[in-house]
Amino acid sequence: MTLPRLTEDPVSPLSPGTHTITVRHGLSRIEQRYHVAGTGPVCIAHPGGPGIGWEYLRMPQLERSLTMVYIEPVGTGASGFLADPRAYTVTTYAHFLRAVIEHLALPDVVLLGHSHGGFVAQRYALDQPERVEALVLYDTSPVTGEEFWSAAVANLERFVQRHVDERPEVARYVAALTTRLDQLTDEGATAVLRTIMPAYVCDYWGREEEFGPARRSLRMYAAPTRGDGQPFDVRDELSAVAAPTLVLVGSDDFICGPHWARMIHQGIPEAQLTVLDETGHLAHLERPEEFRSVMTGFLALEREDAH
């Protein structure tokens, strides 16, 4: 998806539409795209993955009160691809995020990270604390590794048990989740993501007319899954997060659920935790008005405190 560029002030880095900048990475220069929509204070949104196309994170409900800047991560869509796939790490994504923020020339920003994008947001907020006005960590975790993935598989197995009698196709979900995406093509990785998408929302089949188009539009790119990063773990660093922080999670999120959200909440001083009931991994799609209310309420409160 490319957002149309409007005519007013087309050279501004925050003019509505799709923008491309060039970022130095090692000896290479890589194109980084981002997309601007909405009006109001600026909020930069980093999508999940690694390797998922940014479009699923579009938040029209927030664009009514915020200027949303959506990152199109390197290795996806029309952004550039890294010469060495092993370089797709959280540190690399934070480097490109920093380049976009510096290009926008804002003294500080509201930063929202979803899922894997929450790892990137945590890394950036720790490395550049003076540049983050407020932080929203949305359905994410401060740690990955064996315990994290074992819990996700166990949660998905319970999902399968609940639904397999009515929906026999869910019997394939656990195998799909544990597939080696780095050995697939983009088309194969996309097929895996679309297969298990119903597990990422609370009531897919009850709202299939709503969620079906989103499922069919999902895109995944295989290259970023080949990154050579170690398991993510910032638990011992969280106390250094200086920005006011909202930790937002769906009660039924099988992969980055309340257990991990509470871990972040306990680690960041004075963080606010909001758990949305009967919601999975995609609250902005499942409960858009409630999601907007929580977000704008938090940001209004933080602006009042700042003043």
Side-chain angles (χ1 to χ4, degrees):
M1 178 188 294
T2 298
L3 299 185
R5 182 73 64 83
L6 302 186
T7 55
E8 69 250 32
D9 198 11
V11 297
S12 167
L14 281 169
S15 60
T18 296
H19 299 251
T20 302
I21 64 173
T22 301
V23 180
R24 184 175 294 280
H25 181 254
L27 299 178
S28 302
R29 297 184 69 84
I30 308 294
E31 287 193 343
Q32 167 70 71
R33 295 218 308 182
Y34 67 92
H35 309 268
V36 180
T39 182
V42 175
C43 176
I44 299 177
H46 199 294
I52 297 177
W54 74 276
E55 294 88 347
Y56 85 92
L57 197 60
R58 183 83 188 269
M59 299 174 173
Q61 68 278 11
L62 288 186
E63 294 168 13
R64 306 202 306 258
S65 52
L66 294 168
T67 299
M68 297 299 298
V69 177
Y70 302 100
I71 303 296
E72 184 168 319
V74 291
T76 70
S79 283
F81 282 63
L82 305 182
D84 183 356
R86 294 173 299 177
Y88 290 106
T89 65
V90 170
T91 300
T92 296
Y93 290 116
H95 168 75
F96 281 89
L97 174 62
R98 178 178 180 179
V100 172
I101 293 173
E102 290 179 350
H103 175 72
L104 297 178
L106 298 171
D108 48 34
V109 297
V110 174
L111 178 59
L112 180 152
H114 177 243
S115 196
H116 180 269
F119 306 163
V120 180
Q122 288 173 79
R123 186 69 270 154
Y124 181 86
L126 288 163
D127 293 344
Q128 306 290 326
E130 72 286 352
R131 302 297 298 272
V132 182
E133 177 187 0
L135 181 63
V136 180
L137 298 175
Y138 166 32
D139 284 327
T140 189
S141 171
V143 61
T144 59
E146 183 176 348
E147 181 186 359
F148 175 86
W149 287 110
S150 294
V153 169
N155 289 337
L156 189 58
E157 287 172 341
R158 285 189 282 271
F159 175 90
V160 170
Q161 290 168 4
R162 289 196 303 272
H163 296 286
V164 69
D165 289 342
E166 300 82 15
R167 301 283 174 178
E169 68 270 20
V170 304
R172 299 179 292 141
Y173 281 20
V174 173
L177 181 68
T178 55
T179 296
R180 287 282 304 273
L181 298 177
D182 59 320
Q183 297 180 353
L184 299 179
T185 63
D186 292 348
E187 290 72 22
T190 295
V192 168
L193 181 62
R194 291 179 183 177
T195 293
I196 63 175
M197 188 274 189
Y200 284 89
V201 295
C202 189
D203 184 21
Y204 178 83
W205 292 286
R207 300 171 63 184
E208 190 166 10
E209 187 172 338
E210 267 181 272
F211 297 147
R215 183 185 191 182
R216 291 188 292 273
S217 70
L218 288 171
R219 290 285 299 163
M220 188 157 192
Y221 300 83
T225 67
R226 300 174 186 135
D228 193 27
Q230 297 298 312
F232 180 71
D233 190 349
V234 294
R235 287 173 293 181
D236 292 341
E237 301 178 64
L238 288 178
S239 61
V241 172
T245 302
L246 170 65
V247 184
L248 181 58
V249 66
S251 62
D252 298 326
D253 184 349
F254 85 90
I255 194 164
C256 290
H259 172 76
W260 309 107
R262 292 189 183 99
M263 198 176 288
I264 300 173
H265 178 236
Q266 292 164 5
I268 298 178
E270 300 183 27
Q272 172 185 325
L273 173 64
T274 298
V275 181
L276 298 180
D277 292 335
E278 297 182 350
T279 306
H281 193 62
L282 300 168
H284 67 286
L285 297 179
E286 298 174 76
R287 302 192 179 278
E289 287 305 319
E290 189 174 355
F291 181 86
R292 176 182 182 273
S293 177
V294 172
M295 278 284 299
T296 56
F298 167 73
L299 294 176
L301 176 62
E302 294 309 330
R303 284 196 291 274
E304 288 175 10
D305 289 347
H307 290 312

